Amino acid sequence: GALAQAAARQLGRLKPEGTAETLLGFLPFAEEEVLGEAIRATLSQVAMRGGTADPAMMKALQDNNPTRRGAAAEALVRGGDKGVRSRMLTYYHREADPEAKIVVGLSLVEAAKEKAILPEVIKLMPEVPTNRTYRVEEILYALAGDAPPQIPGGGDAASRKKASEAWLTWYSKNEAKIDLAKLDEREKLLGFTLVMEMDVRGVGGRIIEVGPDGKERWKIPNLQFPSDAQVLPGNRVLIAEHNSNQVTERDMTGKVLWTVQVNQPVNVQRLPGGNTFVAGRMGLAEFDREQKQVFTFVRNEFDIVSGQKMRNGEYVFLTTRGQIVRVDKEGKQTNAYNVGRVPYWAGLEVMANGKILFTQATAISELDLTTGKWEKVADYPNGTSCQK
């Protein structure tokens, strides 16, 4: 997986002859979502040669496989000029496969700023898998800013249909003021690293952000044992303060802008719709913008060390007993996977492909929720967090 991703990125840098044909041929067999994304990114880099569309790309538009068709058209949109994008708009309207169509439609909205097809893309949401729906919603939430519609959770077809209807209603009310230029303002991965420091005595602590050069960019001191944090748009930070039983949203000076009380929080997560998810030692909670608790899961074992909400509306958490537990959107525990010994401070991340990356006592490992099997990714003792 990681080696194949690195190879795809290297091909994008070197751009040897035959790159497009090779990657298009391999793409349908790329089972991991992150590998597929790496291949698609490289295809965008090699879509044009000397101002002309690569012949392999044009040929793929007629391929029997919809994955290849969609990837080729998407790459030509993202890597092409105005004339090429106009041709891909024509291709979009004749494409029949929902997955291929939504991929191309997303690229036309993002790269070519084709606002008129956004409602059509929204209508495709119930017809495609959750990972495609999630990409559409990322765009829509960016456009909606602080005023998105209320979207029901869940990743099944019925939930996706309700979400589609809600977004279509939002679009009809806001069409005149929707500005696709906002999509270019979304933050990119900047290479900054966020560090939480806890005082070993159980009091105090601080958060520091450092740049790629290792130099401090900003810090927030005088926190009560910070266990997790997330940098938000607008120079704000969401912070879990374990020993003061609270989650706070602060500006970069440390001023508290928003707070909720949670028993010993270990993880925080700002969700696309504006809600805030919190995993604490004794359970899970989700709060809306008005601080109202809209989801609760209580676990009296006091053993949760990390947790996240997944893209399909479900939740997962890691315990000191060495289990990753899955909870549905109604708050019912549905599965528990034994994953070996973990430390009292540990971490997990739900990856784009739906798998779970997590820390153990001696390693970093990955759990496949479909099979229930996990495998070691790297040796690393007592890791407190991990990120793919």
Side-chain angles (χ1 to χ4, degrees), residues 74-272:
E74 177 190 21
L76 288 165
V77 171
R78 297 190 185 280
D81 57 18
K82 185 176 181 179
V84 171
R85 288 173 175 175
S86 178
R87 293 165 66 185
M88 292 307 103
L89 180 59
T90 300
Y91 163 82
Y92 164 82
H93 286 301
R94 74 166 187 262
E95 175 59 62
D97 182 82
E99 276 205 73
K101 194 176 185 74
I102 203 168
V103 165
V104 184
L106 283 170
S107 64
L108 285 165
V109 170
E110 287 186 290
K113 303 298 184 287
E114 291 285 351
K115 181 178 172 180
I117 67 170
L118 185 54
E120 299 177 26
V121 173
I122 295 172
K123 289 177 183 178
L124 289 169
M125 290 171 64
E127 302 180 45
V128 298
T130 305
N131 61 329
R132 298 291 179 220
T133 302
Y134 191 81
R135 286 191 62 200
V136 177
E137 291 196 319
E138 283 181 326
I139 289 175
L140 293 170
Y141 279 120
L143 294 173
D146 293 330
Q150 291 298 311
I151 304 297
D156 57 15
S159 298
R160 295 199 300 274
K161 187 174 187 299
K162 290 179 182 178
S164 174
E165 291 169 350
W167 280 115
L168 285 170
T169 300
W170 169 85
Y171 182 88
S172 66
K173 293 179 179 179
N174 295 276
E175 180 180 2
K177 59 184 180 182
I178 292 173
D179 182 10
L180 295 188
K182 284 186 177 181
L183 300 178
D184 297 329
E185 300 169 3
R186 288 178 298 172
E187 296 186 27
K188 307 297 182 183
L189 193 62
L190 301 176
F192 303 148
T193 301
L194 194 66
V195 182
M196 275 71 68
E197 292 184 346
M198 305 168 174
D199 190 309
V200 294
R201 296 169 296 177
V203 295
R206 63 179 183 170
I207 291 175
I208 304 171
E209 185 176 79
V210 297
D213 57 2
K215 295 181 179 179
E216 180 182 302
R217 301 187 69 248
W218 55 265
K219 66 181 176 183
I220 299 178
N222 304 318
L223 300 172
Q224 294 302 308
F225 219 64
S227 53
D228 193 21
Q230 179 185 355
V231 177
L232 304 173
N235 295 320
R236 293 169 294 133
V237 192
L238 190 65
I239 306 170
E241 295 184 69
H242 185 271
N243 285 10
S244 59
N245 300 314
Q246 67 176 349
V247 171
T248 58
E249 183 177 323
R250 301 171 183 252
D251 62 21
M252 293 301 184
T253 70
K255 179 182 177 182
V256 176
L257 307 173
W258 182 91
T259 183
V260 292
Q261 300 300 308
V262 177
N263 194 337
Q264 294 193 320
V266 292
N267 272 150
V268 289
Q269 181 186 6
R270 178 56 53 83
L271 303 172

Side-chain angles (χ1 to χ4, degrees), residues 252-307:
M252 293 301 184
T253 70
K255 179 182 177 182
V256 176
L257 307 173
W258 182 91
T259 183
V260 292
Q261 300 300 308
V262 177
N263 194 337
Q264 294 193 320
V266 292
N267 272 150
V268 289
Q269 181 186 6
R270 178 56 53 83
L271 303 172
N275 285 3
T276 299
F277 166 77
V278 186
R281 294 291 183 188
M282 295 182 64
L284 313 177
E286 186 176 330
F287 300 88
D288 65 15
R289 293 170 184 270
E290 285 70 45
Q291 299 162 297
K292 178 183 177 183
Q293 192 162 336
V294 296
F295 174 83
T296 305
F297 174 82
V298 177
R299 181 177 172 91
N300 292 319
E301 284 83 350
F302 204 75
D303 62 350
I304 296 176
V305 294
S306 190

